[in-house]
Amino acid sequence: MEEMPVFTNDAVVFGLLMISLGFVFYTSSIKTGFWAKFYKIVPGVLMCYLIPAILNSAGLIDSSVSNLYFVASRYLLPASLVLMTLSIDLKAIFNLGPKALIMFFAATIGIIIGGPIAILLISAVSPDTVGGAGFDATWRGLSTLAGSWIGGGANQAAMLEIYRYNPEKYGGMVLVDIVVANLWMAIVLLGVGKSDRIDKWLQADNSAITQLKDKVSAYSESVKRIPSLADFMIILALAFGAVGIAHFGADEISSFLVSTFDVFQDKKSSLASFSSEFFWMITIATAIGILLSFTKFKQYEGAGASKIGSIFIYILVATIGMKMDLGAVFDNPGLIAIGLVWMTIHVIILLVTAKLIKAPYFFLAVGSQANVGGAASAPVVAAAFHPSLATVGVLLAVFGYVVGTYGAILCTILMQLASGS
């Protein structure tokens, strides 16, 4: 049996996470001395992610016995999307051009070809790691990673149903998913603080992104006011009222699809991901935020709507960090090695594509996370650049759900061939 963490009470764990976030924001606000130099190298958002990971790795907290990630992803994430899209400029979003989609599909291709190449490379060093027969075959287990890293949890479940990997060994694949995906997210967040230097190396034109940020910031300044208690209550009413509608709509749509169409009941179907309540919840919440941006409620941006949304996002970042056990890297080195090689190929494809089309780091980071992290982390990474960009992360993550199962099946066929099965 696994040892229980020191703190299992979620009230205590949440207190530790909030103290961690407070510590990061306090130290990052110091403009002189050690902390000023430290945060020039390490972005604050990465520390918001790493401190909970360290607490988890030290055995003080554990996401597996906590409901905080569930609460943050199901309640705070949709609320933040509503508040951060309240002042959205859709025309400016569309003006970002095709590079966002190109980088998204480059990320998808990186995952599709990365799996079989990783198997070929690791088999040359450790054939047993990529071996196995029947339902124990490693390529079957890796199919679930392909589903997760192109689409999300629903696509991952579909691949488990289609290729029927041994359930007793499935935990090892989940470990690889968590460790490698979270390590990559940490690196992506580290790059956020160095995005200007990366863009310079990529020779990227990020004028459209800057224009969007400036436009939203200018609007925020034009309606800025000292918020009253009524302002805060209305902002929270808009956010959590929308969350309630999003959950209700997601439950109804998902139930309708599953009960009416057989194709949505079949977990092997490529359309099964559209019966995911989480998918519909995120989609509806974003749509509500966009609709509200055409009303007078848009002016609540001046009372700090997007700042409250950012608070929710940072709490989500901390709960995602809780899932990362730094020591788990050494638990199954062979499978972890496959995952790391796989992700490295994904990154190489992204860098080459970004260099060729001169795409900004923002598109690289969000395109990758829309695949690897899905709807839970793509908006987080996008918002780390600017709250107004969170919607881009959601829109790209939706594409991930659409192509997830198809891409994962293609990847699995190639992995099966690479492993000689």
Side-chain angles (χ1 to χ4, degrees):
M1 284 187 65
E2 289 185 11
E3 286 187 26
M4 292 294 285
V6 175
F7 302 109
T8 56
N9 185 326
D10 269 347
V12 177
V13 176
F14 184 64
L16 286 172
L17 295 184
M18 291 307 296
I19 289 169
S20 301
L21 292 174
F23 170 78
V24 172
F25 275 83
Y26 173 73
T27 51
S28 63
S29 67
I30 298 171
K31 302 302 180 187
T32 57
F34 168 77
W35 290 115
K37 294 174 184 175
F38 178 81
Y39 285 107
K40 279 184 179 178
I41 302 169
V42 182
V45 66
L46 177 60
M47 290 304 296
C48 294
Y49 177 88
L50 278 182
I51 293 176
I54 293 167
L55 294 176
N56 179 39
S57 305
L60 295 175
I61 61 177
D62 188 345
S63 66
S64 65
V65 294
S66 170
N67 287 318
L68 290 179
Y69 172 74
F70 180 85
V71 172
S73 62
R74 267 59 178 183
Y75 303 129
L76 300 186
L77 174 59
S80 69
L81 293 175
V82 172
L83 296 179
M84 291 195 292
T85 53
L86 205 57
S87 60
I88 196 71
D89 187 323
L90 272 185
K91 187 180 178 183
I93 289 284
F94 292 131
N95 284 344
L96 292 178
K99 288 183 181 178
L101 275 179
I102 293 171
M103 291 308 299
F104 169 82
F105 285 114
T108 305
I109 291 166
I111 295 297
I112 290 172
I113 68 171
I117 293 173
I119 285 178
L120 289 171
L121 292 175
I122 297 298
S123 65
V125 181
S126 176
D128 292 341
T129 303
V130 296
F135 295 117
D136 288 342
T138 301
W139 65 265
R140 291 182 187 272
L142 294 175
S143 72
T144 64
L145 286 186
S148 176
W149 288 353
I150 298 175
N155 306 89
Q156 186 176 30
M159 301 311 290
L160 186 61
E161 287 288 327
I162 293 169
Y163 293 102
R164 301 177 68 186
Y165 183 59
N166 185 347
E168 292 180 8
K169 293 189 171 186
Y170 180 51
M173 294 299 167
V174 173
L175 177 70
V176 177
D177 184 9
I178 293 170
V179 170
V180 177
N182 282 294
L183 276 174
W184 172 232
M185 185 174 174
I187 294 167
V188 167
L189 292 174
L190 181 64
V192 172
K194 305 178 188 306
S195 59
D196 288 340
R197 287 165 64 184
I198 297 172
D199 285 344
K200 193 174 180 181
W201 178 75
L202 292 170
Q203 297 180 318
D205 176 16
N206 63 356
S207 57
I209 297 169
T210 304
Q211 189 177 4
L212 172 58
K213 291 193 288 188
D214 291 345
K215 204 168 184 179
V216 171
S217 297
Y219 175 76
S220 182
E221 280 297 317
S222 71
V223 293
K224 192 174 182 180
R225 63 179 186 268
I226 297 173
S228 64
L229 177 60
D231 287 330
F232 286 133
M233 290 303 291
I234 292 168
I235 288 170
L236 292 176
L238 290 172
F240 290 104
V243 170
I245 294 169
H247 274 269
F248 176 77
D251 291 344
E252 292 296 315
I253 293 171
S254 180
S255 299
F256 171 75
L257 292 175
V258 170
S259 61
T260 309
F261 305 102
D262 291 339
V263 70
F264 293 105
Q265 295 178 27
D266 183 5
K267 289 184 179 178
K268 297 179 183 179
S269 167
S270 59
L271 296 176
S273 58
F274 290 100
S275 64
S276 163
E277 291 175 0
F278 184 76
F279 166 77
W280 288 110
M281 177 197 70
I282 294 299
T283 303
I284 293 169
T286 306
I288 291 172
I290 291 170
L291 287 173
L292 289 173
S293 73
F294 291 101
T295 70
K296 65 178 183 179
F297 290 117
K298 181 175 184 174
Q299 294 182 4
Y300 281 95
E301 170 59 26
S306 65
K307 289 183 175 65
I308 294 174
S310 295
I311 291 171
F312 296 157
I313 282 286
Y314 277 103
I315 293 171
L316 176 62
V317 169
T319 61
I320 294 173
M322 267 180 74
K323 298 168 75 174
M324 180 62 188
D325 182 353
L326 301 171
V329 176
F330 307 104
D331 287 353
N332 198 331
L335 285 178
I336 296 291
I338 294 174
L340 291 173
V341 172
W342 190 344
M343 195 59 68
T344 301
I345 292 158
H346 165 77
V347 176
I348 290 169
I349 296 291
L350 281 170
L351 287 171
V352 170
T353 307
K355 188 77 172 170
L356 286 173
I357 67 171
K358 299 181 178 179
Y361 177 68
F362 169 76
F363 291 143
L364 185 155
V366 178
S368 174
Q369 282 304 306
N371 279 269
V372 177
S377 62
V380 171
V381 171
F385 287 86
H386 193 274
S388 65
L389 298 170
T391 311
V392 180
V394 177
L395 294 175
L396 289 179
V398 169
F399 281 109
Y401 278 102
V402 174
V403 303
T405 304
Y406 297 111
I409 289 171
L410 176 56
C411 178
T412 305
I413 291 169
L414 295 174
M415 287 193 291
Q416 186 179 1
L417 292 171
S419 61
S421 299

